[in-house]
Amino acid sequence: MRLSIVDSRLNLVPERDTLADLILSRVRDSGPQPAMCFKVCGMFRTDSWSEFAARFSRLAGHVQRRGVGKGGRVGILLPTSYAWALTDAACLVFGWTSAVYHTQWSEDELAHAIKQFPPDLIICDDARMGKLNVVFSVLGCRVPCLSVESMGDIFDEIVSDAMPSSFFEGSDTTATVVFTSGTNGCAKGTMLTQNAMLLAACEAYDQLGFDGAGCNALHWLPTSHMFGRLGLYLNCISGSVSYFCDDVERLAEDLKIACPDYLFSVPRMLSRLRLRIEDGVRRETALRRSVFNLLLRVGRLVTVLPENFRVPMQGWVRSLFSSLHRRLGGKLRLIVVGGAPVDLADKQYFEALGIAVREGFGMTETAGVASVQPFRRSSRGCGPFLPSLEARVDKDGQLFLRGKSLMIGYVGEQAYDEHGWFPTGDLACLDGNGNLHITGRVKDLIIPDTGENVSPVKIESMLTRNSWISDACIVGDRRPCLISLLSLSAEGVMALRDEGAYVFGKRLDDFLDRMNAMLPRFERIQGVVVIPDGFDALKGEITVTHKIRRRVIMSRYARLINQCYEMLERRQGRHLIPEG
């Protein structure tokens, strides 16, 4: 399948059907222009597209000298970084199948992935070598490893602008194996083609309708997940400049330096950013608070205007909050959110500040995106589906997809039904305008003794709006009522320590009362169990993207869950806060 991509820098580029073609065309057409900004000794340094190509070609030379031939397999165990982007580009252009591993995986999870799809070579950094040695002892065999630190010349000065050629053949063969989060068991290896990933990226770019030419983007989400990886390919389509945040703790600092025009995010970060802004406003004088709230009301009025009035006024709205926007880099116009439902209050808040928040839906199996809201028109839900996808919802409410931007299948496992439909495992509905609305997960449905079907995702999202709560896990299947296990944020841990369990519990009860008032009776949370140490990704309680593994949590904390129900039955309180 041949694609034509229209964008302000490339104009019309026909006959491009692989990501390798996309990368090399961008290098050819934008060679001396800035492409990548990465940190060296804490300072950002800029590479052109030509330098980017020269560096990934050097990296490819190291891989070839390690004996990896055409069609070989290269494992990638790196954090979000320029080195990750170089490795990915080398694999795409030189025709190697990449196997992408999550850096936060435990040794057992990493061993499972390597065993499921054995690589010929693993590219990592020195920080990950110790973990790999443990994994190899578990597996009883070793895989050759290549550390980016040992390839020092890939970051040396570039003196040649030689254009690499693509060695990739066959747009419908497996280009990458990306492992799912594994919320309901072991991670599955998802096989994606270059054609599927390119098609998804091109259609998402076109449907989003945000002209990224001449823009900056800051990458901080894990590129080991398709949503974070998708951002790199969208930048390649538009020719925008990619900045890499190597530490989420320094995200606020990097925003000021990178000055991004758009940002990929998850709802959790959006909520945290809003809470930080509101906390800063509360510390201001009464007069400055009044002025801010007045301007916020003006911003909210602009968001409900018709599109032909609203879009031209967004720049003016941003100027009302100029000091706030300077802390975000001064140019931020769009935040694309995925991974979980967006809190409507968060979306409306940032829209009132002059920043468009657009939601999408995607999975590893859909190359990171299946639907997205257009930039200039805020639709409901997750927006319309990409043009190449077919969708249907069965009688039980489960979403099924079919189309050319989907995966080939899972490694060693069937993924499609006899008619070629892929069951997403998501509960969904479509509105009259074709917009997708995700209502929950099939396997997450809870049916308490009252008999109603409860989708816990919405309630968990409401709980995590509280700045004290990092993660929430609702339980109550075949129980008399719903309760929640709560993992505290750093702010919550400090509040528990400073205020003590009694005062902390009373304030938690007050929050539950306010939240329950907005819910039907059968969805109300009657009790909570506080987990002061939090859910642990290394223990398999949450995934690296903070999706909870409900079965693991319920098994590990079964004793506390039973204690909470006994406490409710005896009417001895609503919250259980274990010591420790």
Side-chain angles (χ1 to χ4, degrees):
M1 180 177 177
R2 298 284 177 178
L3 301 173
S4 294
I5 302 170
V6 180
D7 107 312
S8 58
R9 283 199 181 186
L10 291 179
N11 297 316
L12 183 64
V13 182
E15 296 190 348
R16 179 179 301 163
D17 64 355
T18 69
L19 284 170
D21 294 333
L22 171 66
I23 293 168
L24 295 178
S25 294
R26 174 54 66 193
V27 170
R28 182 185 65 246
D29 295 343
S30 304
Q33 296 175 29
M36 307 282 170
C37 289
F38 57 103
K39 285 184 181 177
V40 178
C41 300
M43 301 293 290
F44 275 109
R45 171 177 156 185
T46 303
D47 262 1
S48 68
W49 286 100
S50 295
E51 290 169 327
F52 170 63
R55 294 195 198 283
F56 74 65
S57 296
R58 283 182 179 178
L59 188 149
H62 284 277
V63 174
Q64 290 169 331
R65 285 191 289 275
R66 290 298 184 102
V68 180
K70 191 174 179 180
R73 299 176 177 183
V74 176
I76 306 177
L77 183 61
L78 292 167
T80 300
S81 60
Y82 189 30
W84 198 102
L86 290 170
T87 306
D88 181 47
C91 290
L92 292 170
V93 171
F94 285 82
W96 301 310
T97 300
S98 61
V100 183
Y101 311 127
H102 306 306
T103 57
Q104 295 181 19
W105 266 347
S106 67
E107 286 85 354
D108 288 340
E109 289 172 314
L110 186 53
H112 167 77
I114 292 173
K115 185 177 180 180
Q116 187 178 147
F117 191 78
D120 301 311
L121 176 73
I122 296 176
I123 296 180
C124 62
D125 54 14
D126 286 346
R128 250 54 63 167
M129 287 299 296
K131 177 180 283 190
L132 282 171
N133 287 331
V134 174
V135 169
F136 297 149
S137 65
V138 170
L139 291 173
C141 61
R142 295 190 65 85
V143 176
C145 294
L146 184 59
S147 168
V148 291
E149 285 87 353
S150 69
M151 297 183 284
D153 68 316
I154 65 170
F155 294 109
D156 288 348
E157 183 180 356
I158 301 298
V159 294
S160 171
D161 291 333
M163 178 75 176
S165 301
S166 176
F167 294 87
F168 182 78
E169 295 179 2
S171 60
D172 293 324
T173 59
T174 300
T176 188
V177 173
V178 185
F179 291 88
T180 62
S181 297
T183 52
N184 293 299
C186 292
K188 297 179 181 179
T190 303
M191 299 183 293
L192 291 163
T193 67
Q194 288 209 25
N195 181 266
M197 291 187 287
L198 178 65
L199 181 60
C202 290
E203 291 190 340
Y205 181 80
D206 183 58
Q207 188 159 298
L208 186 62
F210 181 85
D211 184 5
C215 291
N216 294 347
L218 179 62
H219 300 279
W220 66 276
L221 291 173
T223 41
S224 54
H225 289 270
M226 279 308 304
F227 183 49
R229 191 174 178 178
L230 178 68
L232 292 174
Y233 302 149
L234 294 184
N235 287 6
C236 202
I237 292 172
S238 66
S240 52
V241 181
S242 294
Y243 285 75
F244 294 92
C245 174
D246 56 4
D247 186 348
V248 176
E249 298 300 319
R250 290 199 289 267
L251 180 60
E253 175 187 334
D254 287 348
L255 280 169
K256 296 177 187 177
I257 299 172
C259 304
D261 296 85
Y262 62 98
L263 193 68
F264 276 39
S265 186
V266 290
R268 167 188 300 276
M269 185 57 72
L270 209 62
S271 297
R272 295 292 181 259
L273 183 55
R274 176 190 169 189
L275 289 169
R276 287 187 64 176
I277 294 172
E278 291 178 337
D279 186 51
V281 171
R282 279 194 294 270
R283 294 190 180 121
E284 297 287 353
T285 64
L287 177 60
R288 291 177 69 88
R289 286 199 303 271
S290 297
V291 171
F292 181 87
N293 290 328
L294 175 62
L295 295 178
L296 198 63
R297 285 197 290 272
V298 172
R300 291 186 190 278
L301 290 174
V302 172
T303 63
V304 298
L305 292 175
E307 180 183 327
N308 56 331
F309 292 104
R310 173 178 50 81
V311 174
M313 291 185 71
Q314 282 182 323
W316 174 75
V317 170
R318 286 195 297 275
S319 70
L320 299 178
F321 303 94
S322 56
S323 61
L324 170 61
H325 278 273
R326 278 195 295 272
R327 282 182 277 169
L328 301 175
K331 297 167 57 182
L332 188 59
R333 291 180 287 147
L334 170 66
I335 301 177
V336 181
V337 186
V342 178
D343 183 353
L344 182 60
D346 289 338
K347 179 173 181 175
Q348 292 173 340
Y349 187 84
F350 283 96
E351 296 270 359
L353 296 176
I355 302 171
V357 176
R358 295 296 177 260
E359 189 172 359
F361 166 76
M363 311 169 68
T364 307
E365 292 88 343
T366 66
V369 60
S371 72
V372 66
Q373 297 172 337
F375 168 57
R376 293 184 173 272
R377 179 173 50 84
S378 182
S379 55
R380 293 187 177 275
C382 301
F385 285 102
L386 301 184
S388 64
L389 289 178
E390 297 177 73
R392 69 178 179 87
V393 177
D394 70 6
K395 60 182 177 61
D396 297 318
Q398 182 176 190
L399 175 67
F400 286 74
L401 296 176
R402 185 167 63 183
K404 294 181 179 179
S405 61
L406 300 184
M407 63 175 176
I408 297 175
Y410 297 119
V411 175
E413 187 176 333
Q414 179 62 37
Y416 296 94
D417 67 15
E418 63 273 18
H419 302 293
W421 289 98
F422 167 63
T424 65
D426 287 288
L427 298 171
C429 62
L430 305 175
D431 64 25
N433 295 317
N435 295 309
L436 172 66
H437 298 259
I438 299 295
T439 58
R441 291 284 297 169
V442 172
K443 293 183 179 180
D444 281 346
L445 272 182
I446 294 172
I447 306 176
D449 287 350
T450 52
E452 294 94 346
N453 287 355
V454 177
S455 180
V457 175
K458 177 186 74 173
I459 311 170
E460 289 163 350
S461 177
M462 294 175 72
L463 284 165
T464 54
R465 291 177 198 170
N466 189 310
S467 61
W468 286 357
I469 301 170
S470 176
D471 300 285
C473 177
I474 305 293
V475 298
D477 198 48
R478 291 173 289 183
R479 297 274 198 169
C481 61
L482 302 180
I483 68 169
S484 180
L485 282 72
L486 303 179
S487 170
L488 299 184
S489 64
E491 185 179 341
V493 171
M494 289 179 62
L496 176 58
R497 182 192 63 196
D498 295 342
E499 299 183 359
Y502 179 78
V503 175
F504 182 89
K506 292 291 288 183
R507 292 182 63 182
L508 196 58
D509 287 347
D510 291 341
F511 167 71
L512 286 177
D513 288 339
R514 294 194 301 273
M515 188 191 79
N516 283 337
M518 297 183 284
L519 294 169
R521 185 174 297 276
F522 66 90
E523 289 186 341
R524 292 175 183 171
I525 302 300
Q526 304 302 328
V528 296
V529 178
V530 174
I531 311 296
D533 294 334
F535 301 139
D536 193 340
L538 294 178
K539 294 179 181 177
E541 295 168 355
I542 55 174
T543 71
V544 293
T545 53
H546 273 268
K547 294 177 182 176
I548 61 169
R549 286 175 166 151
R550 201 175 307 276
R551 288 186 296 180
V552 175
I553 291 172
M554 288 175 61
S555 173
R556 185 153 290 149
Y557 298 103
R559 182 179 60 83
L560 291 176
I561 291 170
N562 290 332
Q563 284 182 18
C564 186
Y565 278 109
E566 290 172 7
M567 177 185 68
L568 293 172
E569 186 178 355
R570 295 172 183 171
R571 300 188 177 182
Q572 294 176 337
R574 297 172 61 190
H575 57 263
L576 184 63
I577 307 178
E579 296 182 2

